[in-house]
Every structure is written in C-alpha cells, then in structure tokens.
Amino acid sequence: MKISQALIDEMAVHALEDRPNECCGMVGGKDGVATKVVPVLNAAASPLRYEMDPKGQYDALKEIEADGELLAIYHSHTKSAAYPSQTDVNQAQNWPEPIYVIVSLVNEEKPDVKGFHLADLKIVDAELEIG
Ligand SMILES: [Zn+2]
C-alpha cells in the first residue's frame, strides 16, 4: 500500500490522542494507494485491545466506499512494538482481506507504523510505501 506521510501522521495523532487506550480506524483508497484515514471509536476502550464500535465501523466503511475501497484497518499499541499480538491475529481472521496497520507509541516522539497481512493465522509483512 502506498500512503502519504500526512496520512501516517493522522493515524499517529489519533493514537496519541487516545492514550492510554488503543485507537482504531480504517484506511481507504484506490488501486493500492491510500487516500483517507477514518478514525473509529474503540468500543473496548482498553489499553490492550481494540474493538471497532459497530456504528462507527459502518459509517467509516460507507465513507470509504463512497469513492474507493477499504485498504487497511489500523490500531495502536501504546506500550508495545508495531507487531501484531496473538489477539490481533485471531481477531483478523473475521476480516482477513485488509492490511492491518499498527502504530506503536513506544517512542512517542517518533511513532512507528507498520503493516501486516494476517490471513490464515500468519503474520506477513505488508510493505508501506510512504510518499
Ligand atoms: Zn494490537
């Protein structure tokens, strides 16, 4: 997925705002190029996991599909690396198609953002081409 630094920054700002809880949301775009980041309420309101609020998820998907498609689902790790937890992998099996982007706030000055494919209970790097 190709994504601009500005959209990466939007996810990082959302992650910082929702501390100490994890944040979550969606990335929409076209032909593998991200064009928008849509925050979704974390209904779990937890520092350890996320659960997209059903109404928020529905509205975000509607907004994204108005002029593109869902490319990625993102969430933050406030105290751990930008790498999927077993919970993340399990949860992704319900919706395996999108890329899973994780924003790590271990270094708050410089959030680390990485993407993964999590289908079939595997963790495979998804390249984020920033620019
Ligand atoms: Zn996670």
Side-chain angles (χ1 to χ4, degrees):
M1 175 169 77
K2 197 165 186 247
I3 184 163
S4 68
Q5 186 63 49
L7 290 178
I8 294 271
D9 292 347
E10 279 185 38
M11 288 189 281
V13 166
H14 183 204
L16 288 164
E17 279 172 0
D18 280 15
R19 277 173 309 172
N21 292 337
E22 293 192 1
C23 76
C24 56
M26 294 178 171
V27 180
K30 249 183 207 164
D31 303 322
V33 181
T35 54
K36 67 171 84 165
V37 164
V38 186
V40 176
L41 177 72
N42 178 3
S46 160
L48 299 173
R49 66 192 186 88
Y50 73 100
E51 185 185 310
M52 282 192 283
D53 170 70
K55 168 86 165 69
Q57 176 179 314
Y58 176 84
D59 289 345
L61 200 55
K62 207 165 139 189
E63 182 180 339
I64 283 169
E65 290 182 342
D67 60 357
E69 58 186 3
L70 176 68
L71 297 183
I73 290 172
Y74 74 91
H75 74 284
S76 61
H77 283 177
T78 54
K79 296 212 182 310
S80 61
Y83 193 79
S85 66
Q86 190 61 50
T87 306
D88 293 336
V89 175
N90 294 343
Q91 193 171 336
Q93 303 315 303
N94 299 322
W95 202 350
E97 295 84 10
I99 289 171
Y100 282 81
V101 170
I102 300 177
V103 181
S104 167
L105 300 178
V106 168
N107 180 353
E108 291 183 8
E109 307 290 309
K110 196 173 176 298
D112 190 24
V113 181
K114 293 209 164 78
F116 303 89
H117 297 287
L118 300 179
D120 303 321
L121 293 168
K122 294 194 191 89
I123 298 174
V124 178
D125 285 342
E127 198 198 341
L128 298 184
E129 192 188 327
I130 299 170

